[in-house]
Amino acid sequence: MKRHRWVLVLAAAAVVAGGPPPLAAQPAASGPARIKIDPDRVIGEVHPHVFGNFAEHLGRCIYGGIFEEGSPLADADGFRRDVMEAARGLGVTLLRWPGGNFASGYNWKDGIGPRDQRPVRRDHAWDAIESNRFGTDEFLRYAERLGVEPYLCINAGLGSVEDARNWVEYTNEAGNTYWAQQRRKNGRDRPWGVKVWGLGNEIDGPWQLGHKNAEDYAKFALEAAKAMRRADGSIKLIASGSSNFGPGADWVGWNRTVLDRLRSEIDYISLHTYIGNREGNLEKFLAVARDLDDRIEVVKGQIQAVRVGNPKARPIHIAFDEWNVWYRTIAPGMTESEIAATGLEEKYDFADALAMGMFLNSFIRHADVVKMANLAQLVNVIAPIFTNKDGLYLQTIYFPIAEYAKQRGHQSLDVLVESPQYKPDEGRPLGYLDVSATYDPKARQVFLNVLNRSEKTDITARIENAAGAPSGPVNVWELNHADLKATHTFGKDSVVRPATRSTSVKASGNGFEYTFPKHSLTILKW
Ligand code: AHR
């Protein structure tokens, strides 16, 4: 059956879904830019889980990516050592597993016990064969070895409440119960202590196995949450929020129902976003920030709406648990099987690397509500790390993510930005400069993250800090390349690399001037 699949492609939806032609981008307006920060104006802590990631049983993400039994590059557990090292360099803090769409047809009990006795199954989410050689214990051992928080997503599609509850018992029970005994038999005495659990994946999407309407999903998720919490009262739960932004999809209504029914059980609601640059129009591509900000703010308002007036209301945050650029290996009307046949092996270019800054700026600007964000995915499948059997290379998108991740734990600041504007489409104009800032109060260090979306114009900004101008040199990290389409491959992954330098600035009053080159991502630190 041909299933139409409407992954969110935000503003670029017009491109993917064949919407009206855009207005031509206008040249940069003249006039100075101004960026003003104030370390007292804190939005919230940038939670370390904003640098989360995702590994799904799909294409070569697990098999041939993080896990390759018998490979000389793998350790005794079958984990690829080179991939693990690259994941460390990326600053990954949390890993979501086993899907994705795969989760909605997955029986976790198939993936435990002696590997050679595990059943081989058909995976109907991606029309693939699943060997089940990588299962719960392998994943949790991997996460432990990598030093990241594991996040398990239950099967809320074809699965049952009981399966979900038993999974929590298998991983977290310290007593002598049946499932704890099974875990011990499989080599793990101590509970794994999995804290983060997703109540299903993209259940609002018709492409999902076991797709439900909002009411039916909320009923299932409420019972699953209740039963899972009885197995372990300390777990954190993520409701499956909107991911279907296709024509006619009521994403706001989905979230409203889910939040209303699950408000006293969940800790997060998820959002998913994939964007595309099919037209090869950089300024339009990077204008998606507008929609990203808008959607986060809509969901933030929806969360507030179910909490207002109740001082005991449970705090709920957004888990942006799938995000990335994805358009080369997907097109409207493709079936899951056709998509899977591509392996989702996107080859990222320099323009995509700039989009990483746009996503991360938006998450940081919303640090009060976005407390988790998972790049989809870690390796080979729409991923910053790309392997073959002899090694790997780092894609262009790897470098901005790794650098932003170093700012983890810092406070996000509310920044005033005045920038020359442009009109990428029929929507409201937006500034060429896309900005976020974080502050480390202990080190008294400011990080200013600036994306210049203009393809043609360098922009000079006066940067003011209410706490005073920098007293010493400013450290510059800059990602730029003359060719927006520059890509990496095996043996050639130094094409798009950041340049770093320390520069002295001429301070006047409480600020200084800095010129952000066209199509660049810059992080200033002082
Ligand atoms: O990340 C690839 C797929 O995109 C995931 O399986 C699904 O959740 C989303 O539609």
Side-chain angles (χ1 to χ4, degrees), residues 295-349:
R295 284 185 204 263
I296 292 171
E297 279 153 32
V298 167
V299 178
K300 178 178 169 180
Q302 293 190 294
I303 293 172
Q304 276 165 349
V306 296
R307 298 184 73 240
V308 68
N310 177 4
K312 290 199 188 131
R314 190 182 186 89
I316 300 174
H317 295 111
I318 293 175
F320 221 112
D321 58 13
E322 284 186 34
W323 67 271
N324 206 345
V325 173
W326 176 22
Y327 67 100
R328 298 168 179 93
T329 56
I330 187 171
M334 271 170 94
T335 62
E336 310 312 306
S337 159
E338 286 164 345
I339 297 167
T342 70
L344 285 73
E345 297 198 349
E346 295 264 324
K347 298 286 165 2
Y348 289 112
D349 62 18

Side-chain angles (χ1 to χ4, degrees), residues 3 32 166 172 178 418 454 463 481 500 526:
R3 278 170 291 165
N166 290 343
N172 291 5
Y178 175 78
E418 288 165 7
S454 173
I463 299 167
H481 199 278
T500 55
W526 72 91

Side-chain angles (χ1 to χ4, degrees), residues 5 7 54 56 58 96 99-102 126 201-202 207-208 243 272 274 322 326 336 344 376-377 381-382:
R5 191 167 184 293
V7 174
F54 170 38
E56 177 169 11
L58 167 57
R96 177 175 185 248
N101 295 347
F102 176 80
W126 293 112
N201 175 71
E202 295 189 353
W207 58 86
Q208 202 67 210
S243 66
H272 289 183
Y274 292 100
E322 284 186 34
W326 176 22
E336 310 312 306
L344 285 73
Q377 301 189 7
V381 173
I382 43 175

Side-chain angles (χ1 to χ4, degrees), residues 22-25 277-286 424 455 484:
L23 296 178
N277 185 17
R278 227 173 265 281
E279 286 177 29
N281 179 336
L282 181 81
E283 297 186 0
K284 194 173 169 222
F285 176 48
L286 298 178
E455 196 176 335
L484 297 174

